[in-house]
Amino acid sequence: MHAAVSDGADTLECRLDYLGEPPSEPQLKLLLTDPPAELIVTCRAQREGGRFRGTEEQRLNILATAAKFNPTFIDVEMDVSPGYWPDAKIIQSHHNFDRVPEDLDRIFATQEASSASVNKIAFAASGPEDALLALDLIRNAKKPTLALAMCETGVLSRILAAKVGAFGTFATLNTGAGSAPGQPTLDACLNLYRWNRIRENTPVYGVIGCPIGHSMSPAIHNAALRATDLDGVYVPLKIEPDEENFNRFMDAALERKWLNLRGLSVTIPHKENALAYIGADRCDPLAVRIGAVNTITLNEDGSLYGDNTDYAAAIDAVCNAMDISREQLAGRKVAVLGAGGVARAVVAALTHYQAETTVYNRTLRRAKALAKEFSCAAAKLKGATKSEAEILINCTSIGMSPQIEETPLRRLPSSARVVFDTIYNPMETRLLIEARAAGCLCVSGLEMFVNQAVAQFERWTGVNAPREVMRQVVVERLTGRES
Ligand code: NAP
């Protein structure tokens, strides 16, 4: 309790059902007298996801004993009358660990009509749109309310609770120590998402993808908002694959103007879905040719715009290192290794700026298909050693952590002057180490990664991005030195 308060918690929840043995009165006295902050006492029944194994009578007796020490609140389930503790302030709670209850409105109306001081409802979310349902409840409630969409998909409800005037949110001291799925740490709440600064009108940004847990985007963008002292919060939005799931969230989010959603990063597997949702006529033409949107901007008038900041980020990483403009790529020989999603964005950009491009890939058929679409040449991956390219760009995943000893080419082509590896983990791949030893100008995928985030930030906020801060966040994450 003291650790939580010194880390910034203003209210504590004491879960008596987590104790190994049912506590005695002297133990409760020791635990609950003079707490360092406001205190909620809970002894959750198993039927609502708690750990208390004794009888209902024992459970209620423990809570009655706890009440003698005047905790700020006692949290009890809806099938226990709040009148059981006439002198205590009651949080009346309902939990569904499987889904959004079909009778959500009825349950909530019952809570609103009860004599309890605070409503609490928690349900498992199947998508972030369910988190919006929880936020709706809080917005429309007459009483102080906690409404939480559990699981990774529902994190939005926990972070944006501050936006809609919730009674609070739950956070854990350490990762994995939560009492319900999806709880962020106290440190993330206060320092990453800046909970104490979120207001009704705070602009919201986020990253859509699946999986999303390891995305560095929330760390990068929230650090950038903080460094520029801009109002805003950037949240992870886990959406299961399939267009239907993507569309369901987008419809629900756009319907809620109060959310003040301003921008979305989009990653695997939803980049094609984003393009389809927005429509080609409202997307950057090159993003349409690539077939992928990784940046959605919500304009003041509510309309959407779709961009692909990956392609620009990739070629700008090369051009900046070479100190040339994009236009000066024209006529230069470039070898692109790989024919997947990243290669597609890179080839689209290179051919757009008229670089003389050849796609080299293990599966020749894929190289040919990509080359045909963008009117350039194709060959087998091995053939790249004999290429006459001045610029070599690796868009395969070979050499990526943990296979850091691997390299896509046994030998660099003798013509190569510039080598760009789109891989950013590790920051210096074996390919780059060998290229540096051969005297080439080397560019790490880190630059592309930072460039695309910088472009998103500037597009959404209209403010110069704090590039060095953003770069530092990525470097710290990749080297395991983050706080
Ligand atoms: P992808 O669509 O899965 O394509 C993977 C490519 O790698 C294909 O061309 C594949 O060849 C080739 N490949 C994979 N394993 C191979 C092997 N053992 N031998 C030969 N070729 C192999 O992946 P992607 O989305 O394009 O991503 C590629 C890389 O880009 C990722 O690994 C990541 O490190 C990097 N990336 C960087 C950034 C950034 O911002 N810097 C962003 C996203 C991704 P086949 O066609 O023959 O299978």
Side-chain angles (χ1 to χ4, degrees):
M1 287 201 263
H2 285 277
V5 171
S6 70
D7 282 3
D10 53 17
T11 307
L12 305 161
E13 185 187 33
C14 191
R15 285 289 295 265
L16 300 178
D17 54 309
Y18 272 58
L19 296 173
E21 293 290 325
S24 63
E25 182 161 343
Q27 285 172 326
L28 286 172
K29 185 178 179 191
L30 197 65
L31 193 60
L32 306 179
T33 307
D34 293 331
E38 298 220 320
L39 189 65
I40 302 171
V41 167
T42 308
C43 186
R44 183 75 65 229
Q46 282 186 324
R47 64 177 184 280
E48 295 238 5
R51 293 194 183 173
F52 189 75
R53 289 177 192 283
T55 64
E56 184 66 358
E57 193 186 350
Q58 285 169 329
R59 191 176 77 91
L60 296 181
N61 280 338
I62 289 171
L63 285 172
T65 311
K68 290 185 192 170
F69 305 106
N70 298 316
T72 327
F73 295 97
I74 295 178
D75 177 331
V76 286
E77 304 71 21
M78 289 178 72
D79 53 5
V80 178
S81 165
Y84 194 93
W85 298 273
D87 299 328
K89 281 202 262 181
I90 298 295
I91 298 177
Q92 189 182 51
S93 60
H94 176 84
H95 301 82
N96 187 323
F97 284 82
D98 297 325
R99 65 183 75 84
V100 180
E102 276 161 28
D103 51 351
L104 180 66
D105 289 341
R106 188 194 57 75
I107 294 169
F108 197 67
T110 308
Q111 291 189 339
E112 284 272 78
S114 87
S115 62
S117 306
V118 179
N119 308 316
K120 179 184 170 199
I121 188 151
F123 48 79
S126 60
E129 63 280 3
D130 290 344
L132 298 177
L133 289 180
L135 297 176
D136 285 343
L137 290 180
I138 302 169
R139 281 189 82 234
N140 299 323
K142 294 189 197 71
K143 280 201 287 191
T145 295
L146 291 151
L148 305 155
M150 295 183 284
C151 311
E152 202 185 349
T153 47
V155 166
L156 182 65
S157 68
R158 299 182 181 277
I159 301 163
L160 297 189
K163 193 182 206 339
V164 290
F167 176 70
T169 197
F170 288 84
T172 73
L173 264 179
N174 304 308
T175 308
S179 54
Q183 283 175 2
T185 61
L186 187 55
D187 179 46
C189 249
L190 295 176
N191 301 320
L192 176 65
Y193 301 115
R194 298 187 293 165
W195 164 270
N196 290 327
R197 286 201 40 170
I198 300 174
R199 300 280 174 272
E200 192 180 349
N201 291 325
T202 295
V204 174
Y205 309 90
V207 53
I208 290 178
C210 186
I212 206 70
H214 291 98
S215 169
M216 287 191 268
S217 295
I220 299 171
H221 282 283
N222 282 313
L225 288 164
R226 174 199 284 265
T228 47
D229 203 25
L230 285 176
D231 187 20
V233 60
Y234 185 104
V235 293
L237 299 159
K238 183 181 173 195
I239 299 183
E240 296 293 330
D242 290 338
E243 193 173 357
E244 218 175 89
N245 295 323
F246 179 88
N247 293 354
R248 195 177 316 118
F249 169 72
M250 288 302 293
D251 288 347
L254 297 180
E255 224 170 67
R256 291 163 169 85
K257 300 280 177 254
W258 54 263
L259 198 57
N260 199 8
L261 185 64
R262 299 277 185 88
L264 291 164
S265 312
V266 184
T267 185
I268 291 169
H270 290 296
K271 292 185 187 184
E272 292 80 4
N273 297 336
L275 172 58
Y277 187 86
I278 298 167
D281 54 331
R282 282 174 291 149
C283 291
D284 167 47
L286 207 45
V288 176
R289 278 205 80 193
I290 295 165
V293 159
N294 79 330
T295 308
I296 301 176
T297 304
L298 287 97
N299 302 313
E300 293 282 331
D301 63 0
S303 64
L304 303 180
Y305 189 75
D307 259 317
N308 186 315
T309 59
D310 283 336
Y311 79 77
I315 59 161
D316 287 349
V318 175
C319 291
N320 293 345
M322 294 176 74
D323 202 14
I324 60 169
S325 68
R326 290 184 191 178
E327 287 68 27
Q328 286 174 296
L329 283 169
R332 292 181 192 256
K333 289 195 171 72
V334 186
V336 175
L337 314 183
V342 169
R344 189 175 169 79
V346 167
V347 168
L350 289 170
T351 53
H352 180 80
Y353 289 99
Q354 294 168 0
E356 207 179 295
T357 309
T358 305
V359 182
Y360 295 89
N361 196 43
R362 173 179 61 180
T363 312
L364 184 58
R365 175 179 46 77
R366 291 187 76 196
K368 281 185 171 168
L370 181 59
K372 188 172 170 203
E373 212 177 317
F374 292 99
S375 307
C376 61
K380 286 281 282 179
L381 182 61
K382 283 181 192 156
T385 53
K386 297 200 189 81
S387 137
E388 291 173 2
E390 172 192 4
I391 304 168
L392 183 113
I393 304 180
N394 176 38
C395 300
T396 74
S397 45
I398 309 171
M400 191 168 81
S401 178
Q403 267 86 42
I404 58 169
E405 285 308 314
E406 293 183 7
T407 172
L409 290 183
R410 268 188 293 146
R411 161 168 74 72
L412 283 169
S414 53
S415 56
R417 268 201 334 109
V418 181
V419 176
F420 169 36
D421 199 333
T422 64
I423 292 173
Y424 57 83
N425 187 12
M427 288 182 285
E428 189 161 73
T429 56
R430 181 171 161 197
L431 176 72
L432 287 189
I433 293 169
E434 290 175 358
R436 196 178 302 283
C440 297
L441 182 63
C442 291
V443 188
S444 163
L446 176 72
E447 304 311 322
M448 169 179 168
F449 192 74
V450 173
N451 284 350
Q452 59 85 24
V454 163
Q456 292 184 328
F457 185 88
E458 294 185 345
R459 197 140 311 176
W460 296 332
T461 64
V463 168
N464 284 341
R467 174 182 292 274
E468 264 320 297
V469 169
M470 297 166 88
R471 192 173 196 281
Q472 203 49 39
V473 171
V474 184
V475 171
E476 283 173 8
R477 284 277 165 135
L478 293 175
T479 53
R481 283 191 272 115
E482 82 266 30
S483 59

